[in-house]
Amino acid sequence: MAYEGDTPKSAAIDRSDRSGHIGWVLLLAGVLVGATLSLRFLDIEQTQPLILGLLAFFAMAGVFFLFAMAIGVVQFSGQTARNDITKLMADTSGDGLVVIEDDGRITYANESYLSIAGLQGGEVRPVERLFMGAPEVSEAIYRLAQAAREHRPGTEEIRLSPSLSGAQEFGWYRVRVRPVPRPSGRQAAFWTISEVTHERERQENVFQELQHAIDYLDHAPAGFLSVAPEGSIIYLNATLASWLDYDLAQVGSGGLNLTDIVPRDVVSLMTSFSGEPGSVRTETFDLDLRRRNGQFLPVRLYHRIAFGQDGRMGPSRTLVLNRSAGGEVDEGQRAAEVRFARFFNNTPIAIATVDRSGRIVHANAPFTKLFGALTRMAESGAAGASILDSFRERGPIEAALKAAAENRGDILPLELQTAGDSGGSVRIWVTPVGDTGADGETAILYALDTTDFRKVEEQLAQSQKMNAVGQLAGGVAHDFNNVLQAIIGYSDLLLANHRPTDPSFQDIMQIKQNANRAASLVRQLLAFSRRQTLRPEVLNLNDRLYDLSMLLKRLLGERVELDLSHGRDLWFVKADVNQFEQVVVNLAVNARDAMPNGGKLAIRTANISAAEAARLNVSAMPPADYVVVEVSDTGSGMTPDVVEKIFEPFFTTKEVGKGTGLGLSTVFGIVKQSGGYIDVDSKPGEGTTFRIYLPRHIPEVQEAPEEAKADAPKKPAADMTGQGTILLVEDEDPVRAVNARALSARGYTVLEAASGIEAMEIIEERGAPVDLVVSDVVMPEMDGPTLLRELRKLYPDLKVIFVSGYAEEAFRKNLPEGEDFNFLPKPFSLRQLVETVKQAMGR
C-alpha cells in the first residue's frame, strides 16, 4: 500500500459503494435553468412542443427514479452514510477480510486478503480455492463453508504446506466465518484469515520446554508426588514409581491412593493437617513406603502443604528421599534412623513426648490417630493445646506428669476415659524423659486404646449374666411345669366327671384357666432361657404381618396409627409362626404404652444382603443374608442405662401391677433361639426402634410356605381309645398318677416307674418289650436319653415318647444321630397326651 501525504490509497475492493457527487447536481440545475431561459427567445407555437417534450422527459425520469429506488439501485445518501473510520480499519487490517454473498459474489475484500488470494482471470479467488491440498485441509474448509451456508459462526486452524505466500515450507492459518445481515434482509458470510504460524511455533516451543521440565522431574534422583486433600495421589514421578515397582503407563495420574503406599495411621495424619489461611506448612516423616510386591522402602518425606484463603488444605508437594542401604550418609547412622523410624511409626502403641504442662512436643502416627485434632493443634504450636484436655478427669494425668517431671519411676498405669460424647477407654503409661529431654520434654506417654476391650468385657459380662439368669429361669420353669402339669391333669379329670350344669364345674374351669396363665408365664421364662419348643415353618413375613394387622390395630387403639411397609420380593425365613407373632405383639404393646397421648407405630420389612449386614455393625451378627423387621414408635424413648437392661427378665419401667418385665426378655429369647439377632436404637424424646434380623431361608423343592400347608384339608377326629402296654416313667408322683389314670381310662395297660433305673428293672423282669415308653427327660440317677440308649440295646425297635418342660433341642444333642422318637412339651392336657400316644401306637 502506497501513501501520498496522510491519505491512504486503498487497493481494496468495495462493490457495494453507491455514493453520489454534488457536481452532478449543479450541472443538472444549470441545464434546467438554461433550457428555461432559451424558451423566452421562441414564440408560443414553437415553445409548446418543447415544453410538452420537456415535461414528458421529466415524467419518465421520475418514474425511472422511483423504480430504481424500489429495486435498490438508487438510495438516499442519508440511509447509506458510511463510517469512514470503520472502513479504514477494515481496509488496513493485517488479517484478510472478505465478504461473500449467498450467491457467491465477493462484495468486499481488503488489501490483506487481495495480497493473500491474488487475482485469477481478473476475479478475486474465494476462500475455498485458497486452501486446497491435504484431506484435513479440505475437511476443515468444508466445515466452515457448511457453517457459512447455515448462517452460523465457525473457526478452524489449518496447516497448509506450502504457505499461501510460498515463501515458507508451511504456514498456520486461523480461518473464521460468521454471518453478516444485509439491508435487504439477506445474509452474507464474513471471512477472516489470520496467519498464526509464529504463535503456533511459540506454543510448540513452550510445550517442548514443558516436556523437558517433566522429563527432568520424572528422572530426578529423588522421588516426588502430590497428594490431594482426600488422599488420592494426583502426581507421581517416574523415579518414585520405579522405587515402588509401579508402571506409570498403567497407573497414570490419579491411579493410586495414599493408602496403597503409606501406612493407614500415617495417611490419617498427612490428610488432616490444619493451618492459617494463606499459610504454608512443611512436615518431615521417616517411614516405610509399601512397594507393589508388599516389601517396604525406608524413606524420608518432606511434606509441604499450602492452605487457601478459606483455610482449606490444598494439594501437597512432597519430596521423597530414599533411605535404603547404599546412600552417601554414614551407614550405621542411616540404619539406626531407619530402624527407629520403623519402631516409632509402625508400633500399635501410641507414643508422644510432652512438656510439664502437657503440651505435645512429638508424637507418632498412632498417637495422632487416637487423639485427633488436639495433637495436631499442639504440634502447630496452638496456645493452650494440652493433652490434659483429651480426658474427662484431669487429676490422674496431671499427677502422673508431675511425678515424671520429678524423675520418679514408680508411676502406675492409668485407666482414663477420653473426652467427648463418644469417648473411649485408654490405658496410659507415663515415664520420665530424664536429662536427655529436649524442647522442654519432661515425660513420654504410651497410650493403648482399650475401648474395644472394654466393650468385649461388658458384652461378656452381660452374656454371662444373661446365661446365669437364663439357667435359673429354665430350672424354675421346669419345676413349675411339673406342678402345673399335675394341676392341669387333675383339672381335666375333674372336668370329665362333672357336667357344665354342676355348681363346681365353673370352679374347676377357673383352676384350669389360671393354671394355663401360669403356664404362659413359664413359657416366657423358657423363651428367655431359649429352652422352649419351637415348630419352625417356612414363612413370608409380609403375609404374617398383614394377617396380624387387624389384631395390632385393636391392641393399639384409636390414638396410635399403624403404618405397615412391606419390602418388595421379601425373602423367606424359617421360624415358629406363633412365636414370631408373639414377638411383634409384645413390641407393639410396649410401643403403645410408650405413647400414652397417641403417636405412630411403623413396621417395616426389607431384605438385607451380606454386604449391608457387614456395614450395619450389629453386635455379634456375622455377615449373611437377612430379613429385617423394623418396629419403630414415636414415643418417649429410653435413656442409655435403661436400654442396657431392657432384655433382662423382670426388669420393667412400668408401674407396679402393669407389667411382668418378661415381654422383651421373651422377644430376646425367641429371636435368639430362631437364629436371629435384635438391635435397639432409642433416645429420650425421639422414640424407639427395634430391628429384628432373621436369617434368609432358601426353600427346597419339597418345602412349601405355611400358607400352602394351611390349605390342606383337615383330617377327621380319630378315636382316642386303644390297647397295648405302656411303660410310664415319671419322677413326679402326682404327674405320673394323673397320666396313668388318663391312659388307663382309654383302655391301655400302664406300667409305672419313678426313675430310669426302676424302668429298666421292670423291663428286665417282664422279659418282653412293651408297646410304648412314655418317659420324662430330666430324672435323678438315670435321665431319659440314657434310659433310651439302654432300652435300645435290648429292643432296638422300641417306640418312645419323651415329655419335658425343656425344648426338644435341649436334649436331642445327647441322643445318637438320627434317633427316632416323639416329643410332648410340658405342660400338656390329657387330651394331648392320649392323642400323641394314639399316633405313636398307630405307626
mmCIF file of all heavy atoms in Angstrom, residues 185-200:
data_model
loop_
_atom_site.group_PDB
_atom_site.id
_atom_site.type_symbol
_atom_site.label_atom_id
_atom_site.label_comp_id
_atom_site.label_asym_id
_atom_site.label_seq_id
_atom_site.Cartn_x
_atom_site.Cartn_y
_atom_site.Cartn_z
ATOM 1 N N GLY A 185 -32.204 -7.798 3.912
ATOM 2 C CA GLY A 185 -32.731 -8.948 4.631
ATOM 3 C C GLY A 185 -31.995 -10.227 4.364
ATOM 4 O O GLY A 185 -32.240 -11.255 5.000
ATOM 5 N N ARG A 186 -31.087 -10.213 3.398
ATOM 6 C CA ARG A 186 -30.313 -11.408 3.087
ATOM 7 C C ARG A 186 -29.111 -11.511 4.016
ATOM 8 O O ARG A 186 -28.793 -10.571 4.763
ATOM 9 C CB ARG A 186 -29.872 -11.371 1.630
ATOM 10 C CG ARG A 186 -31.044 -11.272 0.646
ATOM 11 C CD ARG A 186 -30.549 -11.084 -0.772
ATOM 12 N NE ARG A 186 -29.793 -12.227 -1.235
ATOM 13 C CZ ARG A 186 -29.148 -12.277 -2.401
ATOM 14 N NH1 ARG A 186 -29.178 -11.243 -3.212
ATOM 15 N NH2 ARG A 186 -28.485 -13.351 -2.750
ATOM 16 N N GLN A 187 -28.423 -12.658 3.975
ATOM 17 C CA GLN A 187 -27.265 -12.913 4.826
ATOM 18 C C GLN A 187 -26.039 -13.095 3.944
ATOM 19 O O GLN A 187 -26.074 -13.795 2.927
ATOM 20 C CB GLN A 187 -27.473 -14.179 5.674
ATOM 21 C CG GLN A 187 -28.558 -14.062 6.723
ATOM 22 C CD GLN A 187 -28.080 -13.320 7.956
ATOM 23 O OE1 GLN A 187 -26.892 -13.121 8.134
ATOM 24 N NE2 GLN A 187 -29.041 -12.902 8.794
ATOM 25 N N ALA A 188 -24.940 -12.451 4.353
ATOM 26 C CA ALA A 188 -23.654 -12.654 3.698
ATOM 27 C C ALA A 188 -22.707 -13.310 4.696
ATOM 28 O O ALA A 188 -22.959 -13.336 5.897
ATOM 29 C CB ALA A 188 -23.079 -11.322 3.219
ATOM 30 N N ALA A 189 -21.628 -13.888 4.201
ATOM 31 C CA ALA A 189 -20.645 -14.570 5.045
ATOM 32 C C ALA A 189 -19.404 -13.703 5.138
ATOM 33 O O ALA A 189 -18.829 -13.301 4.117
ATOM 34 C CB ALA A 189 -20.298 -15.930 4.485
ATOM 35 N N PHE A 190 -18.992 -13.386 6.365
ATOM 36 C CA PHE A 190 -17.821 -12.558 6.613
ATOM 37 C C PHE A 190 -16.676 -13.476 7.032
ATOM 38 O O PHE A 190 -16.714 -14.111 8.084
ATOM 39 C CB PHE A 190 -18.126 -11.535 7.702
ATOM 40 C CG PHE A 190 -16.956 -10.646 8.032
ATOM 41 C CD1 PHE A 190 -16.380 -9.845 7.054
ATOM 42 C CD2 PHE A 190 -16.427 -10.600 9.311
ATOM 43 C CE1 PHE A 190 -15.305 -9.024 7.362
ATOM 44 C CE2 PHE A 190 -15.361 -9.789 9.616
ATOM 45 C CZ PHE A 190 -14.789 -8.986 8.651
ATOM 46 N N TRP A 191 -15.630 -13.569 6.172
ATOM 47 C CA TRP A 191 -14.497 -14.470 6.401
ATOM 48 C C TRP A 191 -13.304 -13.661 6.897
ATOM 49 O O TRP A 191 -13.049 -12.556 6.413
ATOM 50 C CB TRP A 191 -14.093 -15.194 5.116
ATOM 51 C CG TRP A 191 -15.130 -16.158 4.598
ATOM 52 C CD1 TRP A 191 -16.270 -15.848 3.943
ATOM 53 C CD2 TRP A 191 -15.090 -17.580 4.694
ATOM 54 N NE1 TRP A 191 -16.976 -16.977 3.611
ATOM 55 C CE2 TRP A 191 -16.258 -18.063 4.059
ATOM 56 C CE3 TRP A 191 -14.192 -18.489 5.233
ATOM 57 C CZ2 TRP A 191 -16.538 -19.418 3.970
ATOM 58 C CZ3 TRP A 191 -14.463 -19.839 5.140
ATOM 59 C CH2 TRP A 191 -15.629 -20.295 4.529
ATOM 60 N N THR A 192 -12.587 -14.255 7.861
ATOM 61 C CA THR A 192 -11.370 -13.655 8.387
ATOM 62 C C THR A 192 -10.254 -14.685 8.319
ATOM 63 O O THR A 192 -10.428 -15.822 8.791
ATOM 64 C CB THR A 192 -11.552 -13.193 9.836
ATOM 65 O OG1 THR A 192 -12.658 -12.303 9.906
ATOM 66 C CG2 THR A 192 -10.315 -12.485 10.347
ATOM 67 N N ILE A 193 -9.123 -14.313 7.742
ATOM 68 C CA ILE A 193 -7.973 -15.213 7.621
ATOM 69 C C ILE A 193 -6.790 -14.568 8.332
ATOM 70 O O ILE A 193 -6.363 -13.467 7.966
ATOM 71 C CB ILE A 193 -7.626 -15.502 6.152
ATOM 72 C CG1 ILE A 193 -8.829 -16.111 5.428
ATOM 73 C CG2 ILE A 193 -6.417 -16.429 6.053
ATOM 74 C CD1 ILE A 193 -8.619 -16.302 3.939
ATOM 75 N N SER A 194 -6.288 -15.253 9.383
ATOM 76 C CA SER A 194 -5.166 -14.739 10.157
ATOM 77 C C SER A 194 -4.027 -15.743 10.095
ATOM 78 O O SER A 194 -4.246 -16.953 10.301
ATOM 79 C CB SER A 194 -5.563 -14.489 11.612
ATOM 80 O OG SER A 194 -6.696 -13.663 11.698
ATOM 81 N N GLU A 195 -2.835 -15.246 9.832
ATOM 82 C CA GLU A 195 -1.669 -16.131 9.839
ATOM 83 C C GLU A 195 -1.159 -16.242 11.286
ATOM 84 O O GLU A 195 -0.841 -15.224 11.919
ATOM 85 C CB GLU A 195 -0.569 -15.603 8.933
ATOM 86 C CG GLU A 195 0.611 -16.564 8.846
ATOM 87 C CD GLU A 195 1.665 -16.119 7.849
ATOM 88 O OE1 GLU A 195 1.455 -15.054 7.220
ATOM 89 O OE2 GLU A 195 2.679 -16.810 7.703
ATOM 90 N N VAL A 196 -1.105 -17.487 11.831
ATOM 91 C CA VAL A 196 -0.719 -17.716 13.237
ATOM 92 C C VAL A 196 0.488 -18.637 13.303
ATOM 93 O O VAL A 196 0.664 -19.362 14.287
ATOM 94 C CB VAL A 196 -1.909 -18.312 14.035
ATOM 95 C CG1 VAL A 196 -3.028 -17.293 14.171
ATOM 96 C CG2 VAL A 196 -2.418 -19.590 13.374
ATOM 97 N N THR A 197 1.315 -18.613 12.269
ATOM 98 C CA THR A 197 2.471 -19.519 12.241
ATOM 99 C C THR A 197 3.395 -19.263 13.421
ATOM 100 O O THR A 197 3.821 -20.191 14.121
ATOM 101 C CB THR A 197 3.229 -19.350 10.924
ATOM 102 O OG1 THR A 197 2.329 -19.545 9.826
ATOM 103 C CG2 THR A 197 4.382 -20.343 10.833
ATOM 104 N N HIS A 198 3.716 -17.992 13.677
ATOM 105 C CA HIS A 198 4.635 -17.675 14.772
ATOM 106 C C HIS A 198 4.005 -18.026 16.134
ATOM 107 O O HIS A 198 4.693 -18.479 17.046
ATOM 108 C CB HIS A 198 5.004 -16.190 14.711
ATOM 109 C CG HIS A 198 5.767 -15.811 13.480
ATOM 110 N ND1 HIS A 198 7.025 -16.314 13.188
ATOM 111 C CD2 HIS A 198 5.448 -14.974 12.444
ATOM 112 C CE1 HIS A 198 7.453 -15.818 12.039
ATOM 113 N NE2 HIS A 198 6.505 -15.004 11.557
ATOM 114 N N GLU A 199 2.710 -17.799 16.261
ATOM 115 C CA GLU A 199 2.022 -18.136 17.513
ATOM 116 C C GLU A 199 2.095 -19.630 17.787
ATOM 117 O O GLU A 199 2.377 -20.067 18.922
ATOM 118 C CB GLU A 199 0.567 -17.673 17.446
ATOM 119 C CG GLU A 199 -0.236 -17.989 18.700
ATOM 120 C CD GLU A 199 -1.684 -17.548 18.573
ATOM 121 O OE1 GLU A 199 -1.963 -16.662 17.723
ATOM 122 O OE2 GLU A 199 -2.518 -18.086 19.298
ATOM 123 N N ARG A 200 1.857 -20.446 16.749
ATOM 124 C CA ARG A 200 1.929 -21.898 16.930
ATOM 125 C C ARG A 200 3.352 -22.343 17.235
ATOM 126 O O ARG A 200 3.581 -23.262 18.009
ATOM 127 C CB ARG A 200 1.418 -22.607 15.671
ATOM 128 C CG ARG A 200 -0.075 -22.463 15.456
ATOM 129 C CD ARG A 200 -0.870 -23.030 16.618
ATOM 130 N NE ARG A 200 -0.681 -24.450 16.753
ATOM 131 C CZ ARG A 200 -1.566 -25.379 16.349
ATOM 132 N NH1 ARG A 200 -2.681 -24.996 15.812
ATOM 133 N NH2 ARG A 200 -1.312 -26.664 16.516
#
